[in-house]
Amino acid sequence: MDNIMCGIVGVTGRQDATEILLHGLEKLEYRGYDSAGIFVSAEDGQNYLVKEKGRIADLRQEVGDDVHGSTGIGHTRWATHGVPSRDNAHPHVSEDGRFYLVHNGVIGNFAQLKAEYLADVNFKSETDTEVIVQLIAHFAKEGMDAKAAFKKVLSLVDTSSSYAFLLMDSQAKDHTLYVAKRKSPLLIGVGKDFNVVCSDAMAMLNVTHDFLEIADGEVVTITPASVDIEDAEGNKVERAPFHVDTDASAAEKGAYEFYMLKEIDEQPAVMRTLEQKYFDEAGNILIDQDLRDAINAADRLYIVAAGTSYHAGLVGKELFEKIAGVPTEVHVASEFAYNMPLLSAKPFFIFLTQSGETADSREVLVNVNKLGYPSLTITNVPNSTLSREASYTLLLHAGPEIAVASTKAYTGQIAVEAILAKAMGQDKDLEVAKNFDLTGELTKVANGMQALVDEKGQVEKLAADVLGTTRNAFYIGRGIDYDVALEAALKLKEVSYVQTEGFASGELKHGTIALIEKGTPVIAIITDPKTAAHTRSNVQEVVARGANVISIAAEGLATDKDQIVLPEVHPLLTPLVSVVSGQLLAYYTSKQRGYDVDKPRNLAKSVTVE
Ligand code: G6P
């Protein structure tokens, strides 16, 4: 059984270890999980292992008031091949009770390792992780110290594997934790007389703002007073911590019932922040000339991304081609990774990734780096893996995005793409770029988004009327509206489980219209004067077959039959407003059906395996 997407936390040297671990796990809930556990060791030699299927709240209850100590590790698990259960939850412990391990990733050769070394061991779970902890104990029994045994096991894990390991030796008197990673994310948080470990800085912002990166292949030994990093050859590595500015409260829900609505509502503010971050007072764009020169030297852009970020890439193609005049291809990362198309002579790669950790995108970046091509990561998370490994980074400045369904990162990505496209076009002296008053346009967008979120009550009612009980739905549009139809459809299916297709309006009649029957919801997006009349005819075609239509139209094209009228913005920026209606429809449909909007079933926020 594999364990992926999981969250890891650890602490050494704090009397309140239990609370730090539980709080950290709560902050990692957004990653998606189905069981969780902690192991805590007290000064008096008392050890506590508590695991629970379900939510952290259940684990907290199980922990009660009796679990206390100064060193511990914790984990949220997202099951793949096997059931979520208490036995399969982490931490896993060796048969002799000495070693405790939490793991994020997949061990490709766990079955071989088990057969070769551990035939006599009595296993308690079906996980690959338990094989690793039993194997560490196996080599320790042969006489190796804890670190040597850990390193030995790391050398036996095959190259297809991914992992972030946090190991605790319950016999060590010095509260030592051992850490290693390959592909999966993991950070060390540095404190005074204590240190912590986490998958995401957000989990530990309440105790420290200083973090250390770990590179693949390194082994780190952590005590309350020291962090010792060794490279793969055993040499000592010196590394300065980086500071994370994010305020822990930026990730709080406040008065909102769900993060998704908070994050939808934050989009006007994100647009304004991007204006401030990327333009000086004279209106000059604040993007390094180095990056601008590198990207303008390319003959073709390749945007690589997954999920919602991929959809932001589709809009990016329009922006880069129309404003910067450069041919642009957009690819799904998991497809591109193992099936690279014929590249142009001078390609430039753009990785769009909210988290900066998506394994599918990273796999492409690793190959791109091997081939020596320049690359840019556009991400919300400074110092994330894809940011560190690309030649350049542009940040989304959207603040933490906690809800699994991505909203403000999508609009942030499109805005950053527009800013970059304008910078590129200006450098090439293109009239279209020079005349594009982007600060003015982004202000219009921010105001337009604000008007839409202010009138969310109307969308709430539409969701109840049209999407209340349906099992399926369609979004249709042409051109840039089709790009948004794909994203709006993904939102609706992710959080409300309504099977929704985003479709090119004109293509509907070539087969898929067969699915339209009485009451089928069809949501049409109409913002482009060139294609508005055509899309309206397609709407008539589905109405004639009984569809229940919601039309979302730009102000200048709207009629009094349209249920949602979008504030007027620049034609290339309409996705920034039209998507807000789609996000709100998805949110309310999910909420009305009684689902946990922020944590849809089967999904994870940060997908760290391929
Ligand atoms: C997961 C999330 C999606 C997200 C996708 C890409 O599937 O559930 O919301 O769009 O990963 O994530 P990224 O962090 O690379 O943008």
Side-chain angles (χ1 to χ4, degrees), residues 306-309 352-356 358 361 404-406 413 494 604-605 607:
T308 289
S309 295
L352 287 181
T353 166
Q354 188 283 130
S355 63
T358 299
S361 302
V404 167
S406 181
Q413 282 166 338
E494 280 183 303
K605 181 78 181 158
V607 182

Side-chain angles (χ1 to χ4, degrees), residues 454-468:
D454 285 347
E455 288 179 17
K456 50 171 82 81
Q458 180 210 358
V459 182
E460 183 172 11
K461 188 166 176 316
L462 272 175
D465 292 350
V466 181
L467 298 166

Side-chain angles (χ1 to χ4, degrees), residues 72-89:
I73 60 179
H75 188 266
T76 49
R77 171 173 185 263
W78 192 88
T80 53
H81 307 344
V83 291
S85 69
R86 192 180 279 188
D87 283 344
N88 288 334

Side-chain angles (χ1 to χ4, degrees), residues 66-392:
D66 299 333
V67 176
H68 56 87
S70 57
T71 310
I73 60 179
H75 188 266
T76 49
R77 171 173 185 263
W78 192 88
T80 53
H81 307 344
V83 291
S85 69
R86 192 180 279 188
D87 283 344
N88 288 334
H90 302 207
H92 288 288
V93 53
S94 57
E95 207 177 16
D96 60 4
R98 173 172 172 188
F99 293 101
Y100 289 80
L101 180 73
V102 292
H103 166 218
N104 170 10
V106 180
I107 303 304
N109 60 334
F110 81 100
Q112 292 94 301
L113 292 173
K114 189 172 174 179
E116 191 171 339
Y117 296 96
L118 303 169
D120 301 335
V121 174
N122 189 8
F123 278 80
K124 292 202 199 67
S125 79
E126 307 151 85
T127 62
D128 49 353
T129 309
E130 191 184 352
V131 173
I132 299 302
V133 75
Q134 302 286 17
L135 204 50
I136 293 168
H138 168 87
F139 288 117
K141 269 193 220 121
E142 286 189 350
M144 293 184 191
D145 64 21
K147 187 157 112 186
F150 186 37
K151 286 172 75 169
K152 170 76 183 167
V153 173
L154 293 176
S155 74
L156 295 176
V157 166
D158 74 6
T159 52
S160 76
S161 305
S162 61
Y163 55 77
F165 286 128
L166 171 56
L167 174 72
M168 187 167 156
D169 176 359
S170 67
Q171 281 175 10
K173 289 279 164 277
D174 53 358
H175 311 283
T176 312
L177 301 175
Y178 300 93
V179 160
K181 70 174 276 291
R182 184 197 289 160
K183 294 189 182 177
S184 305
L186 204 60
L187 291 171
I188 314 286
V190 189
K192 190 168 164 9
D193 301 327
F194 72 93
N195 288 300
V196 293
V197 180
C198 49
S199 302
D200 177 335
M202 205 123 66
M204 292 295 171
L205 285 177
N206 60 329
V207 293
T208 184
H209 282 255
D210 296 314
F211 293 88
L212 272 172
E213 293 160 14
I214 314 168
D216 285 7
E218 291 175 343
V219 174
V220 191
T221 309
I222 306 165
T223 69
S226 63
V227 177
D228 291 317
I229 308 177
E230 254 181 36
D231 67 14
E233 283 75 47
N235 305 312
K236 198 169 161 52
V237 178
E238 294 294 341
R239 184 171 298 140
F242 62 91
H243 191 76
V244 175
D245 279 330
T246 315
D247 178 0
S249 66
E252 299 299 339
K253 245 188 323 194
Y256 285 90
E257 189 180 351
F258 292 105
Y259 281 107
M260 184 175 175
L261 190 61
K262 172 178 183 263
E263 290 162 6
I264 291 172
D265 280 3
E266 282 170 353
Q267 292 175 107
V270 174
M271 294 299 117
R272 295 195 176 102
T273 306
L274 287 174
E275 269 181 62
Q276 283 163 7
K277 297 277 182 191
Y278 283 106
F279 292 90
D280 69 13
E281 281 179 7
N284 302 309
I285 296 179
L286 303 171
I287 293 180
D288 271 1
Q289 200 57 47
D290 260 13
L291 162 58
R292 291 156 75 147
D293 293 344
I295 195 167
N296 267 341
D299 61 359
R300 184 172 287 257
L301 305 185
Y302 292 83
I303 299 179
V304 178
T308 289
S309 295
Y310 168 72
H311 293 151
L314 296 175
V315 179
K317 173 181 165 72
E318 306 285 333
L319 295 162
F320 290 119
E321 295 197 336
K322 301 212 163 86
I323 301 171
V326 57
T328 303
E329 292 181 21
V330 193
H331 292 271
V332 166
S334 55
E335 287 297 310
F336 195 95
Y338 298 99
N339 197 9
M340 217 185 256
L342 197 56
L343 298 177
S344 65
K346 299 194 79 183
F348 186 100
F349 284 82
I350 299 180
F351 293 88
L352 287 181
T353 166
Q354 188 283 130
S355 63
E357 301 294 347
T358 299
D360 292 319
S361 302
R362 194 208 169 201
E363 185 62 31
V364 180
L365 177 53
V366 167
N367 289 329
V368 163
N369 283 342
K370 275 190 203 142
L371 294 167
Y373 294 128
S375 57
L376 160 71
T377 291
I378 300 181
T379 181
N380 201 24
V381 184
N383 293 298
S384 53
T385 305
L386 274 110
S387 159
R388 293 198 304 268
E389 295 180 357
S391 334
Y392 305 94

